[in-house]
Amino acid sequence: MASSAEPADRAVETEIIDHVNGLVGRVWAQFTARVAELGLSMPEAKALQALEPDQDVPMRTIAARLHANPSNVTVVVSRLEGRGLITRSSADDRRVKGVRLTEAGLALRDRLTDRIAVDHPAVAGLSANQRESLLRILRRLTQHAEP
C-alpha cells in the first residue's frame, strides 16, 4: 500500500525504518550468540520458546508459532526429544501429537530467556519509563499487525 505521507513525514518514516532495521540486526546477532552459548540451533531455540510450561502443545501449533513447515518442525522436535528436552504424547486423536517441555527443557528454556534479557539491544540503556513507553508502542504495533 502506497503511503500518502508528506515529504517531512516520509523522512521521519524512513528514519524510523532505518533504526528498526538496525535494531533487528542487533537483536538477531545477540539472539544467535545466546543460542550458541547454550549449544542449541536456531530452530531448536525457537521451538523451546514456542512451548509453554506444563502444557501439551500440538505440533501444528508449534509450526504456526515458528512460521515453519510442520515437517521441518518434526525434525527439530525429534532432536529436542533426543536430548531429553521435550516429550511427545498422543491425544484422543492419534494423529495429533502434543509436545511438552521436560524439566531439563524448561530449565534450558529459562536459561535462554535469562541470557537474552541480560544485554538485549531493545532495552539496553533505557530507563524504566522509556521501557514502559516502548512496551505500550510495541503492544499497539502487535495489535494491528497483519496475520
Side-chain angles (χ1 to χ4, degrees), residues 99-111:
V99 177
R100 180 183 292 249
L101 290 165
T102 63
E103 285 187 35
L106 181 57
L108 186 57
R109 180 179 173 267
D110 288 347
R111 281 180 50 212

Side-chain angles (χ1 to χ4, degrees), residues 112-131:
L112 177 61
T113 299
D114 290 345
R115 284 298 298 134
I116 289 169
V118 168
D119 59 352
H120 198 279
V123 294
L126 297 180
S127 69
N129 286 339
Q130 290 169 326
R131 288 175 187 215

Side-chain angles (χ1 to χ4, degrees), residues 73-139:
V73 173
T74 300
V75 172
V76 173
V77 166
S78 293
R79 289 194 316 237
L80 293 171
E81 186 177 35
R83 292 179 62 179
L85 300 173
I86 58 102
T87 58
R88 285 191 252 200
S89 61
S90 294
D92 293 336
D93 182 347
R94 298 172 116 189
R95 296 170 296 176
V96 178
K97 295 284 185 190
V99 177
R100 180 183 292 249
L101 290 165
T102 63
E103 285 187 35
L106 181 57
L108 186 57
R109 180 179 173 267
D110 288 347
R111 281 180 50 212
L112 177 61
T113 299
D114 290 345
R115 284 298 298 134
I116 289 169
V118 168
D119 59 352
H120 198 279
V123 294
L126 297 180
S127 69
N129 286 339
Q130 290 169 326
R131 288 175 187 215
E132 288 294 324
S133 295
L134 178 58
L135 180 57
R136 280 192 301 278
I137 292 167
L138 290 172
R139 284 178 178 155

